[in-house]
Amino acid sequence: MLRRPVLLVVAHGSRDPRHAATVHDLVRRVRAQRPGLRVETGFLDFNVPSVGAVLESLDAEGVRDVVALPLLLTRAFHAKADIPAVLAEAPPRLRIRQAEVLGPSPLLLAALERRLYEAGLTPADKSSTGVVLASAGSSDPEAIAVIADVAREWRHTGWCAVRPAFASASLPRTEQAVRELRELGCPRVAVAPYVLAPGRLPDRIARGAAGADVLADVLGPSPEVARVLLERYDAARTPSLQALGA
């Protein structure tokens, strides 16, 4: 029986200790959903272990197959440049496949709704509630377009309206989107952070949500997010995908 590749979750990292704690909580949930799968965590910056250190350790153990999964919601600079550059410096005996980023996915929409319901909304509130889909933001046009597409798709599930917003690099900001929904006439306004873990930009989203009626929590270690990680892992480990650099 072939040994399954190790899943290496590649997180950005943050000076905010809540970030790493949330990443580790999510990885524990992934392990619980797939007993027997080895899951490791590496950080690009600020936290340890680094991605490079994890890869060196795996190589020293004799591991040969790794799926590196970017803990990102869109394909922006980190997925296109930073992570491939780090993986290219891995020990040459490792066969590494880079999985796709997490978004978009219907499971992430389910996770967003879970967080809104945990914050006090109910399914009966959807038609009277406008939602701000608040992401970290990016200067990458592809990433911005994906967020806009997610907002449009989510709107079609019954919300009064859904507006994208960004904590950095792009407009509108969360507070602007809240005002737009008020002006549109939505009786209730909720802010749903489309981010995975707490940190500086999610805190900025929270400040921008001061004029909203409801602020949901970050996606964090929700079961839906864990399932998306496993879906991306399964897709990347199929034989049809080439190892990185092959």
Side-chain angles (χ1 to χ4, degrees):
M1 179 178 179
L2 291 176
R3 184 175 299 176
R4 288 180 291 185
V6 171
L7 170 56
L8 172 58
V9 176
V10 180
H12 181 272
S14 171
R15 293 186 178 91
D16 189 321
R18 297 173 298 168
H19 175 90
T22 302
V23 170
H24 291 310
D25 285 345
L26 175 59
V27 168
R28 280 191 286 272
R29 187 177 285 274
V30 171
R31 292 187 182 119
Q33 288 192 10
R34 185 73 61 85
L37 173 63
R38 182 172 178 180
V39 187
E40 300 290 341
T41 308
F43 296 90
L44 292 175
D45 207 353
F46 302 118
N47 302 106
V48 292
S50 69
V51 175
V54 175
L55 292 172
E56 292 282 355
S57 178
L58 291 173
D59 177 63
E61 289 181 36
V63 171
R64 290 296 168 259
D65 290 295
V66 177
V67 169
L69 196 157
L71 198 59
L72 301 167
L73 295 173
T74 59
R75 287 191 73 253
F77 182 79
H78 295 304
K80 295 176 179 178
D82 283 353
I83 293 175
V86 171
L87 298 182
E89 297 176 356
R93 290 178 297 184
L94 287 175
R95 294 182 291 271
I96 305 174
R97 300 180 182 96
Q98 181 176 328
E100 291 294 330
V101 298
L102 303 185
S105 167
L107 285 169
L108 294 177
L109 292 181
L112 286 166
E113 295 205 357
R114 170 190 290 274
R115 294 303 187 223
L116 285 171
Y117 297 152
E118 290 171 349
L121 294 180
T122 71
D125 296 323
K126 292 183 75 167
S127 63
S128 60
T129 302
V131 181
V132 177
L133 180 70
S135 74
S138 173
S139 58
D140 188 309
E142 179 185 351
I144 297 304
V146 166
I147 299 299
D149 288 343
V150 171
R152 281 192 291 270
E153 180 179 350
W154 203 17
R155 164 68 182 86
H156 293 151
T157 66
W159 296 100
C160 173
V162 179
R163 292 286 188 274
F166 308 94
S168 67
S170 308
L171 294 174
R173 295 286 184 259
T174 302
E175 53 269 33
Q176 294 173 280
V178 169
R179 288 196 297 269
E180 287 178 9
L181 291 172
R182 294 285 189 206
E183 293 168 0
L184 190 63
C186 295
R188 185 186 300 102
V189 176
V191 174
Y194 192 55
V195 292
L196 288 165
R200 179 176 57 89
L201 294 178
D203 284 349
R204 187 179 295 174
I205 290 171
R207 290 192 296 271
D213 302 293
V214 174
L215 170 62
D217 200 357
V218 299
L219 295 173
S222 68
E224 295 87 356
V225 175
R227 285 172 58 195
V228 177
L229 263 71
L230 290 169
E231 284 187 356
R232 298 295 184 256
Y233 168 80
D234 289 337
R237 67 187 284 256
T238 56
S240 60
L241 291 181
Q242 296 292 319
L244 183 71

Coordinates of all heavy atoms in Angstrom, one line a residue, residues 93-186:
R93 N 15.5 15.7 -2.8 CA 14.9 14.3 -2.8 C 13.4 14.4 -2.5 O 12.7 13.4 -2.7 CB 15.6 13.5 -1.7 CG 17.0 13.1 -2.1 CD 17.7 12.3 -1.0 NE 17.8 13.1 0.3 CZ 18.4 12.7 1.4 NH1 19.0 11.5 1.4 NH2 18.5 13.5 2.4
L94 N 12.9 15.5 -2.0 CA 11.4 15.6 -1.7 C 10.7 15.9 -3.0 O 11.1 16.7 -3.9 CB 11.2 16.8 -0.8 CG 11.6 16.6 0.7 CD1 11.4 17.9 1.4 CD2 10.8 15.5 1.3
R95 N 9.6 15.1 -3.2 CA 8.7 15.4 -4.3 C 7.5 16.2 -3.7 O 6.7 15.7 -2.9 CB 8.2 14.1 -4.9 CG 9.2 13.2 -5.6 CD 8.7 12.0 -6.2 NE 8.3 11.0 -5.1 CZ 9.1 10.1 -4.6 NH1 10.4 10.0 -5.0 NH2 8.7 9.3 -3.6
I96 N 7.4 17.4 -4.2 CA 6.4 18.4 -3.6 C 5.4 18.8 -4.6 O 5.7 19.2 -5.7 CB 7.1 19.6 -3.0 CG1 8.2 19.2 -2.0 CG2 6.1 20.5 -2.3 CD1 9.0 20.4 -1.5
R97 N 4.1 18.7 -4.3 CA 3.0 19.2 -5.1 C 2.4 20.4 -4.3 O 2.1 20.3 -3.1 CB 2.0 18.1 -5.3 CG 2.5 16.9 -6.1 CD 1.3 15.9 -6.3 NE 1.7 14.7 -7.0 CZ 2.0 13.6 -6.3 NH1 2.0 13.5 -5.0 NH2 2.4 12.5 -7.0
Q98 N 2.3 21.5 -5.0 CA 1.6 22.6 -4.4 C 0.1 22.6 -4.7 O -0.3 22.6 -5.8 CB 2.1 24.0 -4.8 CG 1.5 25.2 -4.2 CD 2.1 26.5 -4.6 OE1 3.3 26.6 -4.8 NE2 1.3 27.5 -4.6
A99 N -0.7 22.4 -3.6 CA -2.2 22.4 -3.8 C -2.7 23.8 -4.1 O -2.1 24.8 -3.9 CB -2.8 21.8 -2.5
E100 N -4.0 23.8 -4.6 CA -4.6 25.0 -4.8 C -5.0 25.7 -3.5 O -5.1 25.1 -2.5 CB -5.9 24.8 -5.6 CG -5.7 24.3 -7.1 CD -5.0 25.4 -7.9 OE1 -5.2 26.6 -7.6 OE2 -4.2 25.1 -8.8
V101 N -5.2 27.0 -3.6 CA -5.7 27.8 -2.4 C -7.1 27.3 -2.1 O -7.7 26.6 -2.8 CB -5.6 29.3 -2.7 CG1 -4.2 29.7 -2.9 CG2 -6.5 29.6 -3.9
L102 N -7.6 27.8 -0.9 CA -8.8 27.3 -0.4 C -10.1 27.8 -1.2 O -11.1 27.1 -1.3 CB -9.0 27.6 1.1 CG -7.8 27.1 2.0 CD1 -8.2 27.4 3.4 CD2 -7.6 25.6 1.8
G103 N -10.0 29.0 -1.6 CA -11.2 29.6 -2.2 C -11.1 29.7 -3.7 O -10.0 29.6 -4.3
P104 N -12.2 29.8 -4.4 CA -13.6 29.8 -3.8 C -14.1 28.4 -3.6 O -13.6 27.4 -4.2 CB -14.4 30.5 -4.8 CG -13.7 30.2 -6.1 CD -12.2 30.2 -5.8
S105 N -15.0 28.2 -2.7 CA -15.6 26.9 -2.4 C -17.0 27.1 -1.7 O -17.1 28.0 -0.9 CB -14.7 26.1 -1.5 OG -15.4 25.0 -1.0
P106 N -18.0 26.3 -2.1 CA -19.3 26.4 -1.4 C -19.1 26.1 0.1 O -19.9 26.6 0.9 CB -20.1 25.3 -2.1 CG -19.4 25.1 -3.4 CD -18.0 25.3 -3.2
L107 N -18.1 25.3 0.5 CA -17.9 25.1 1.9 C -17.5 26.3 2.6 O -17.9 26.5 3.8 CB -16.8 24.0 2.1 CG -17.3 22.6 1.8 CD1 -16.1 21.6 1.7 CD2 -18.3 22.1 2.8
L108 N -16.8 27.2 2.0 CA -16.4 28.5 2.6 C -17.6 29.4 2.8 O -17.8 30.1 3.8 CB -15.3 29.2 1.8 CG -14.0 28.5 1.8 CD1 -13.0 29.2 0.9 CD2 -13.4 28.3 3.2
L109 N -18.6 29.4 1.9 CA -19.8 30.1 2.1 C -20.6 29.5 3.2 O -21.2 30.3 4.0 CB -20.7 30.0 0.8 CG -20.1 30.8 -0.4 CD1 -21.1 30.6 -1.6 CD2 -19.9 32.2 -0.1
A110 N -20.6 28.2 3.4 CA -21.3 27.6 4.5 C -20.6 28.0 5.8 O -21.3 28.2 6.8 CB -21.2 26.1 4.4
A111 N -19.3 28.1 5.8 CA -18.5 28.5 7.0 C -18.9 30.0 7.4 O -19.0 30.3 8.5 CB -17.0 28.4 6.8
L112 N -19.0 30.8 6.3 CA -19.4 32.2 6.6 C -20.7 32.3 7.2 O -21.0 33.1 8.2 CB -19.4 33.0 5.3 CG -18.0 33.3 4.7 CD1 -18.2 33.8 3.2 CD2 -17.3 34.4 5.5
E113 N -21.7 31.5 6.7 CA -23.0 31.5 7.3 C -23.0 31.0 8.7 O -23.7 31.4 9.6 CB -24.0 30.8 6.4 CG -24.2 31.4 5.0 CD -25.5 31.1 4.4 OE1 -26.3 30.3 4.9 OE2 -25.7 31.7 3.3
R114 N -22.2 29.9 8.9 CA -22.1 29.4 10.3 C -21.7 30.5 11.3 O -22.3 30.7 12.3 CB -21.1 28.3 10.3 CG -20.7 27.8 11.8 CD -19.5 26.9 11.8 NE -19.8 25.6 11.2 CZ -20.3 24.6 11.9 NH1 -20.6 24.7 13.2 NH2 -20.5 23.4 11.3
R115 N -20.7 31.3 10.9 CA -20.2 32.4 11.8 C -21.3 33.4 12.0 O -21.4 34.0 13.1 CB -18.9 33.0 11.2 CG -17.7 32.0 11.2 CD -17.4 31.5 12.6 NE -16.2 30.8 12.6 CZ -16.0 29.6 13.2 NH1 -17.1 29.1 13.9 NH2 -14.8 29.0 13.2
L116 N -22.1 33.8 10.9 CA -23.1 34.7 11.1 C -24.2 34.2 12.0 O -24.7 35.0 12.9 CB -23.7 35.1 9.7 CG -22.8 36.0 8.8 CD1 -23.4 36.1 7.4 CD2 -22.7 37.4 9.5
Y117 N -24.6 33.0 11.9 CA -25.6 32.4 12.8 C -25.1 32.3 14.2 O -25.8 32.6 15.2 CB -26.0 31.0 12.3 CG -26.7 31.1 10.9 CD1 -26.6 30.0 10.1 CD2 -27.3 32.2 10.5 CE1 -27.2 30.0 8.8 CE2 -27.9 32.3 9.2 CZ -27.8 31.2 8.4 OH -28.4 31.2 7.1
E118 N -23.8 32.0 14.4 CA -23.2 32.0 15.7 C -23.2 33.4 16.3 O -23.3 33.6 17.6 CB -21.8 31.5 15.7 CG -21.7 30.0 15.4 CD -20.3 29.5 15.1 OE1 -19.4 30.4 15.0 OE2 -20.1 28.3 15.1
A119 N -23.2 34.5 15.5 CA -23.2 35.8 16.0 C -24.6 36.3 16.2 O -24.8 37.5 16.7 CB -22.5 36.8 14.9
G120 N -25.6 35.5 16.0 CA -27.0 35.9 16.4 C -28.0 35.9 15.3 O -29.2 36.0 15.6
L121 N -27.6 35.8 14.0 CA -28.6 35.8 12.9 C -29.2 34.4 12.8 O -28.7 33.4 13.4 CB -27.9 36.1 11.6 CG -27.4 37.6 11.4 CD1 -26.8 37.7 10.0 CD2 -28.6 38.6 11.6
T122 N -30.3 34.3 12.1 CA -31.0 33.0 11.8 C -31.2 33.0 10.3 O -31.3 34.0 9.7 CB -32.3 32.9 12.6 OG1 -33.3 33.8 12.0 CG2 -32.1 33.2 14.1
P123 N -31.5 31.8 9.8 CA -31.9 31.7 8.4 C -33.0 32.6 8.0 O -33.1 33.1 6.9 CB -32.1 30.2 8.2 CG -31.3 29.5 9.2 CD -31.3 30.4 10.4
A124 N -34.0 32.8 8.9 CA -35.1 33.6 8.6 C -34.7 35.1 8.4 O -35.5 35.9 7.9 CB -36.1 33.5 9.8
D125 N -33.5 35.5 8.9 CA -33.1 36.9 8.8 C -32.5 37.2 7.4 O -32.2 38.4 7.1 CB -32.1 37.2 9.8 CG -32.6 37.1 11.2 OD1 -33.8 37.5 11.4 OD2 -31.9 36.7 12.2
K126 N -32.2 36.2 6.6 CA -31.5 36.4 5.4 C -32.0 37.5 4.4 O -31.3 38.4 4.0 CB -31.3 35.1 4.6 CG -30.4 34.1 5.3 CD -30.2 32.8 4.5 CE -29.2 33.0 3.4 NZ -28.8 31.7 2.8
S127 N -33.3 37.4 4.2 CA -33.9 38.3 3.2 C -33.9 39.8 3.7 O -34.1 40.7 2.9 CB -35.3 37.9 2.9 OG -36.2 37.9 4.0
S128 N -33.8 40.0 5.0 CA -33.8 41.4 5.5 C -32.4 41.8 5.9 O -32.3 42.9 6.5 CB -34.8 41.5 6.7 OG -34.4 40.6 7.7
T129 N -31.4 41.1 5.6 CA -30.0 41.4 6.1 C -29.1 41.6 4.9 O -29.0 40.7 4.0 CB -29.5 40.3 7.0 OG1 -30.3 40.1 8.1 CG2 -28.1 40.6 7.5
G130 N -28.4 42.7 4.9 CA -27.3 43.0 3.9 C -26.0 42.6 4.5 O -25.8 42.8 5.7
V131 N -25.2 41.9 3.8 CA -23.9 41.4 4.3 C -22.7 42.0 3.6 O -22.7 42.2 2.4 CB -23.8 39.9 4.1 CG1 -22.5 39.3 4.7 CG2 -25.0 39.2 4.8
V132 N -21.8 42.5 4.4 CA -20.5 42.9 3.9 C -19.5 41.7 4.0 O -19.2 41.2 5.0 CB -19.9 44.1 4.8 CG1 -18.5 44.5 4.2 CG2 -20.8 45.3 4.7
L133 N -19.0 41.3 2.8 CA -18.0 40.2 2.7 C -16.7 40.9 2.8 O -16.2 41.5 1.8 CB -18.2 39.5 1.4 CG -17.2 38.3 1.2 CD1 -17.5 37.2 2.1 CD2 -17.2 37.9 -0.3
A134 N -16.1 40.9 4.0 CA -14.9 41.7 4.3 C -13.6 40.9 4.2 O -13.4 40.0 5.1 CB -15.0 42.4 5.6
S135 N -12.8 41.1 3.2 CA -11.6 40.3 3.1 C -10.4 41.2 3.4 O -10.5 42.4 3.6 CB -11.5 39.8 1.7 OG -11.1 40.8 0.8
A136 N -9.2 40.6 3.5 CA -8.0 41.3 3.8 C -7.6 42.3 2.8 O -7.1 43.4 3.1 CB -6.9 40.3 4.1
G137 N -7.9 42.0 1.5 CA -7.5 42.9 0.4 C -6.2 42.4 -0.3 O -5.4 41.7 0.3
S138 N -6.1 42.9 -1.5 CA -4.9 42.5 -2.3 C -4.7 43.5 -3.5 O -5.7 44.1 -3.9 CB -5.1 41.1 -2.9 OG -4.1 40.8 -3.8
S139 N -3.5 43.6 -3.9 CA -3.3 44.4 -5.1 C -3.3 43.6 -6.4 O -3.2 44.1 -7.5 CB -1.9 45.1 -5.0 OG -0.9 44.1 -4.9
D140 N -3.6 42.3 -6.2 CA -3.7 41.4 -7.4 C -5.1 41.4 -7.9 O -6.1 41.1 -7.2 CB -3.4 39.9 -6.9 CG -3.3 39.0 -8.0 OD1 -4.2 38.9 -8.9 OD2 -2.3 38.2 -8.1
P141 N -5.3 41.8 -9.2 CA -6.6 41.9 -9.8 C -7.4 40.6 -9.8 O -8.6 40.6 -9.6 CB -6.4 42.4 -11.2 CG -5.0 43.0 -11.2 CD -4.2 42.3 -10.1
E142 N -6.7 39.5 -10.0 CA -7.3 38.2 -9.9 C -8.0 37.9 -8.6 O -9.1 37.4 -8.5 CB -6.3 37.1 -10.3 CG -6.9 35.7 -10.2 CD -5.9 34.5 -10.4 OE1 -4.7 34.9 -10.7 OE2 -6.3 33.4 -10.2
A143 N -7.3 38.2 -7.5 CA -7.8 38.0 -6.2 C -9.0 38.9 -5.9 O -10.0 38.4 -5.3 CB -6.7 38.3 -5.1
I144 N -9.0 40.1 -6.3 CA -10.1 41.0 -6.1 C -11.3 40.6 -6.9 O -12.4 40.6 -6.4 CB -9.7 42.5 -6.6 CG1 -8.6 43.0 -5.7 CG2 -10.9 43.4 -6.5 CD1 -8.8 43.0 -4.2
A145 N -11.1 40.1 -8.1 CA -12.2 39.6 -8.9 C -12.8 38.3 -8.3 O -14.1 38.2 -8.3 CB -11.7 39.2 -10.3
V146 N -12.0 37.5 -7.7 CA -12.6 36.3 -7.0 C -13.5 36.7 -5.8 O -14.6 36.2 -5.7 CB -11.4 35.4 -6.5 CG1 -12.0 34.3 -5.5 CG2 -10.8 34.7 -7.7
I147 N -13.1 37.7 -5.1 CA -13.9 38.2 -3.9 C -15.2 38.7 -4.5 O -16.3 38.5 -3.9 CB -13.1 39.3 -3.1 CG1 -11.9 38.7 -2.5 CG2 -14.0 39.8 -2.0 CD1 -12.1 37.5 -1.6
A148 N -15.2 39.5 -5.6 CA -16.4 40.0 -6.1 C -17.3 38.9 -6.6 O -18.6 38.9 -6.4 CB -16.1 41.0 -7.3
D149 N -16.7 37.9 -7.2 CA -17.5 36.7 -7.6 C -18.2 36.0 -6.5 O -19.3 35.5 -6.5 CB -16.7 35.7 -8.4 CG -16.3 36.2 -9.8 OD1 -16.9 37.2 -10.3 OD2 -15.3 35.7 -10.4
V150 N -17.4 35.8 -5.4 CA -17.9 35.2 -4.2 C -19.1 36.0 -3.6 O -20.2 35.4 -3.3 CB -16.8 35.0 -3.1 CG1 -17.5 34.5 -1.8 CG2 -15.8 34.0 -3.6
A151 N -19.0 37.3 -3.6 CA -20.1 38.1 -3.1 C -21.4 38.0 -4.0 O -22.5 37.8 -3.4 CB -19.7 39.6 -3.1
R152 N -21.2 37.9 -5.3 CA -22.3 37.7 -6.2 C -23.0 36.4 -6.0 O -24.2 36.3 -5.9 CB -21.9 37.9 -7.6 CG -21.7 39.4 -8.1 CD -21.6 39.5 -9.6 NE -20.3 38.9 -10.0 CZ -19.2 39.6 -10.1 NH1 -19.2 40.9 -9.8 NH2 -18.1 39.0 -10.6
E153 N -22.2 35.4 -5.9 CA -22.7 34.0 -5.7 C -23.5 33.9 -4.3 O -24.5 33.3 -4.3 CB -21.6 33.0 -5.7 CG -22.0 31.6 -5.5 CD -20.9 30.5 -5.5 OE1 -19.8 30.9 -5.9 OE2 -21.2 29.4 -5.1
W154 N -22.9 34.5 -3.3 CA -23.5 34.5 -2.0 C -24.8 35.2 -2.0 O -25.8 34.8 -1.3 CB -22.6 35.0 -0.9 CG -22.8 34.5 0.5 CD1 -23.6 33.5 0.8 CD2 -22.3 35.1 1.7 NE1 -23.6 33.3 2.2 CE2 -22.8 34.3 2.7 CE3 -21.5 36.2 1.9 CZ2 -22.5 34.6 4.1 CZ3 -21.2 36.5 3.2 CH2 -21.7 35.7 4.3
R155 N -24.9 36.3 -2.7 CA -26.1 37.1 -2.8 C -27.3 36.2 -3.3 O -28.4 36.4 -2.9 CB -25.9 38.3 -3.7 CG -27.2 39.0 -4.2 CD -27.9 39.7 -3.1 NE -29.1 40.3 -3.6 CZ -30.3 39.7 -3.7 NH1 -30.4 38.4 -3.4 NH2 -31.4 40.4 -4.1
H156 N -27.0 35.3 -4.2 CA -28.0 34.5 -4.8 C -28.6 33.4 -3.9 O -29.5 32.7 -4.2 CB -27.5 33.8 -6.1 CG -27.2 34.8 -7.2 ND1 -26.2 34.6 -8.1 CD2 -27.7 36.0 -7.5 CE1 -26.2 35.6 -8.9 NE2 -27.1 36.5 -8.6
T157 N -28.1 33.3 -2.7 CA -28.6 32.3 -1.7 C -29.7 32.9 -0.8 O -30.1 32.2 0.1 CB -27.4 31.8 -0.8 OG1 -26.9 32.8 0.0 CG2 -26.3 31.2 -1.7
G158 N -30.0 34.2 -1.0 CA -31.2 34.7 -0.3 C -31.0 36.0 0.5 O -31.9 36.5 1.1
W159 N -29.7 36.4 0.6 CA -29.5 37.6 1.4 C -30.1 38.9 0.7 O -30.2 38.9 -0.5 CB -28.0 37.8 1.6 CG -27.3 36.7 2.4 CD1 -26.6 35.7 2.0 CD2 -27.4 36.6 3.9 NE1 -26.2 34.9 3.0 CE2 -26.7 35.4 4.2 CE3 -28.0 37.3 4.9 CZ2 -26.5 34.9 5.5 CZ3 -27.8 36.9 6.2 CH2 -27.1 35.7 6.5
C160 N -30.4 39.9 1.5 CA -30.9 41.1 1.0 C -30.0 41.7 -0.1 O -30.3 42.2 -1.1 CB -31.1 42.1 2.1 SG -31.6 43.8 1.6
A161 N -28.7 41.7 0.3 CA -27.6 42.2 -0.6 C -26.3 41.7 0.0 O -26.2 41.5 1.2 CB -27.6 43.7 -0.8
V162 N -25.3 41.6 -0.8 CA -23.9 41.3 -0.4 C -22.9 42.2 -1.1 O -23.0 42.3 -2.3 CB -23.5 39.8 -0.6 CG1 -22.1 39.5 -0.1 CG2 -24.5 38.9 0.0
R163 N -22.1 42.9 -0.3 CA -21.1 43.8 -0.9 C -19.7 43.4 -0.4 O -19.5 43.1 0.8 CB -21.4 45.2 -0.4 CG -22.6 45.9 -0.9 CD -22.5 46.2 -2.4 NE -23.6 47.0 -2.9 CZ -24.8 46.5 -3.3 NH1 -24.9 45.2 -3.4 NH2 -25.7 47.2 -3.7
P164 N -18.8 43.3 -1.3 CA -17.4 43.0 -0.9 C -16.7 44.3 -0.3 O -17.1 45.4 -0.7 CB -16.7 42.7 -2.3 CG -17.5 43.4 -3.3 CD -18.9 43.5 -2.8
A165 N -15.8 44.1 0.6 CA -15.0 45.1 1.2 C -13.6 44.6 1.5 O -13.4 43.4 1.5 CB -15.7 45.7 2.4
F166 N -12.7 45.5 1.7 CA -11.3 45.2 1.8 C -10.6 46.0 2.9 O -10.9 47.2 3.1 CB -10.5 45.4 0.5 CG -11.2 44.7 -0.7 CD1 -12.1 45.4 -1.5 CD2 -11.0 43.4 -1.0 CE1 -12.8 44.8 -2.5 CE2 -11.7 42.8 -2.0 CZ -12.6 43.5 -2.8
A167 N -9.8 45.3 3.7 CA -9.1 46.0 4.8 C -7.8 46.7 4.3 O -7.3 47.5 5.1 CB -8.8 45.0 5.9
S168 N -7.3 46.4 3.2 CA -6.1 47.0 2.7 C -6.1 46.9 1.1 O -6.8 46.1 0.6 CB -4.9 46.4 3.2 OG -4.7 45.0 2.8
A169 N -5.3 47.7 0.5 CA -4.9 47.6 -0.9 C -6.0 47.9 -1.9 O -5.8 48.4 -3.0 CB -4.3 46.3 -1.2
S170 N -7.3 47.7 -1.5 CA -8.4 47.9 -2.4 C -9.5 48.6 -1.7 O -9.6 48.7 -0.5 CB -8.9 46.5 -3.0 OG -7.8 45.8 -3.5
L171 N -10.5 49.0 -2.5 CA -11.7 49.7 -2.0 C -12.9 48.9 -2.5 O -12.9 48.3 -3.5 CB -11.7 51.2 -2.4 CG -10.6 52.1 -1.9 CD1 -10.7 53.5 -2.5 CD2 -10.7 52.2 -0.3
P172 N -14.1 49.1 -1.7 CA -14.3 49.9 -0.6 C -13.8 49.3 0.7 O -13.6 48.1 0.8 CB -15.8 50.0 -0.6 CG -16.3 48.7 -1.1 CD -15.3 48.3 -2.2
R173 N -13.7 50.1 1.8 CA -13.4 49.6 3.1 C -14.7 49.1 3.7 O -15.8 49.4 3.2 CB -12.8 50.7 3.9 CG -11.5 51.2 3.5 CD -10.4 50.2 3.8 NE -9.1 50.7 3.5 CZ -8.4 50.3 2.4 NH1 -9.0 49.5 1.6 NH2 -7.2 50.8 2.1
T174 N -14.6 48.4 4.8 CA -15.8 47.8 5.5 C -16.8 48.9 5.8 O -18.0 48.7 5.6 CB -15.3 47.1 6.7 OG1 -14.4 46.1 6.4 CG2 -16.5 46.4 7.4
E175 N -16.3 50.0 6.4 CA -17.3 51.0 6.8 C -18.1 51.6 5.7 O -19.2 52.0 5.8 CB -16.6 52.1 7.6 CG -15.4 52.7 7.0 CD -14.1 52.0 7.3 OE1 -14.1 50.8 7.5 OE2 -13.1 52.7 7.3
Q176 N -17.4 51.7 4.5 CA -18.1 52.2 3.3 C -19.1 51.3 2.8 O -20.2 51.7 2.5 CB -17.0 52.4 2.2 CG -16.0 53.5 2.4 CD -15.0 53.6 1.4 OE1 -14.0 52.8 1.4 NE2 -15.1 54.5 0.4
A177 N -18.8 50.0 2.8 CA -19.8 49.0 2.4 C -21.0 48.9 3.4 O -22.1 48.7 2.9 CB -19.1 47.6 2.3
V178 N -20.7 49.1 4.7 CA -21.8 49.1 5.6 C -22.8 50.3 5.3 O -24.0 50.1 5.3 CB -21.3 49.3 7.1 CG1 -22.4 49.6 8.0 CG2 -20.6 48.0 7.5
R179 N -22.2 51.5 5.0 CA -23.0 52.6 4.6 C -23.8 52.4 3.3 O -25.0 52.7 3.2 CB -22.2 53.9 4.5 CG -21.6 54.4 5.8 CD -21.1 55.9 5.6 NE -20.0 55.9 4.7 CZ -18.7 55.8 5.1 NH1 -18.4 55.6 6.4 NH2 -17.7 55.9 4.2
E180 N -23.2 51.7 2.4 CA -23.9 51.4 1.1 C -25.1 50.6 1.3 O -26.2 50.8 0.7 CB -22.9 50.7 0.1 CG -21.9 51.6 -0.5 CD -20.9 50.8 -1.4 OE1 -21.3 49.7 -1.7 OE2 -19.9 51.4 -1.8
L181 N -25.0 49.6 2.2 CA -26.1 48.7 2.5 C -27.2 49.4 3.2 O -28.4 49.1 3.0 CB -25.6 47.5 3.3 CG -24.7 46.5 2.4 CD1 -24.1 45.4 3.3 CD2 -25.5 45.9 1.3
R182 N -26.8 50.3 4.1 CA -27.8 51.2 4.8 C -28.6 52.0 3.8 O -29.8 52.1 3.8 CB -27.2 52.1 5.8 CG -26.5 51.4 7.0 CD -27.5 50.9 8.0 NE -26.8 50.4 9.2 CZ -27.3 49.5 10.0 NH1 -28.5 49.0 9.7 NH2 -26.7 49.1 11.1
E183 N -27.8 52.6 2.9 CA -28.5 53.5 1.9 C -29.3 52.7 0.9 O -30.3 53.2 0.4 CB -27.4 54.2 1.1 CG -26.6 55.3 2.0 CD -25.4 55.8 1.3 OE1 -25.1 55.3 0.1 OE2 -24.7 56.6 1.9
L184 N -29.0 51.4 0.7 CA -29.8 50.5 -0.1 C -31.1 50.2 0.5 O -32.0 49.8 -0.2 CB -29.0 49.3 -0.4 CG -29.5 48.3 -1.5 CD1 -29.5 49.0 -2.9 CD2 -28.6 47.0 -1.6
G185 N -31.2 50.3 1.8 CA -32.4 50.1 2.5 C -32.5 48.7 3.2 O -33.6 48.3 3.6
C186 N -31.4 48.0 3.3 CA -31.4 46.8 4.1 C -31.7 47.0 5.5 O -31.1 47.8 6.2 CB -30.1 46.1 4.0 SG -29.6 45.6 2.3

